[in-house]
């Protein structure tokens, strides 16, 4: 089972870096990395909430909205 998870993890990381390299070819590197980081932060937070039943604090939804607004702003500005 651990071998399957390791192989899956390597494939997913490879795909993520492929997507980042493709984004860098379209967007400036700083914008592409900022978008990747923001989407990753929101994605892992939603995974924790939905998959692991983590509780949301008062400020987390607001902070996630700020991250999304920043990502959208970066995309629109480039």
């Amino acid at each position: 089972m651990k071998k399957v998870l390791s192989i899956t993890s390597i494939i997913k990381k490879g795909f993520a870096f492929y997507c980042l390299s493709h984004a860098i070819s379209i967007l400036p590197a700083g914008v592409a990395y900022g978008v990747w980081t923001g989407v990753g932060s929101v994605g892992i937070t939603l995974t924790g909430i939905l998959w692991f039943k983590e509780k949301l604090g008062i400020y987390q939804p607001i902070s996630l909205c700020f991250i999304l607004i920043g990502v959208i702003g970066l995309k629109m500005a480039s």
Side-chain angles (χ1 to χ4, degrees):
M1 183 66 174
K2 288 184 180 182
K3 190 174 185 178
V4 172
L5 292 175
S6 296
I7 292 171
T8 304
S9 176
I10 291 169
I11 291 170
K12 288 178 182 179
K13 287 178 184 179
F15 181 69
F17 281 112
Y18 167 76
C19 291
L20 179 62
S21 67
H22 181 68
I24 287 176
S25 69
I26 298 170
L27 299 170
V31 174
Y33 185 73
V35 169
W36 182 16
T37 304
V39 170
S41 297
V42 171
I44 198 67
T45 301
L46 292 176
T47 300
I49 292 167
L50 299 174
W51 191 280
F52 299 111
K53 308 297 183 218
E54 293 178 358
K55 303 267 189 233
L56 263 180
I58 295 171
Y59 297 107
Q60 286 174 322
I62 296 168
S63 299
L64 290 173
C65 287
F66 283 137
I67 291 172
L68 288 175
I69 289 168
V71 166
I72 292 168
L74 283 172
K75 175 66 176 140
M76 291 175 63
S78 63

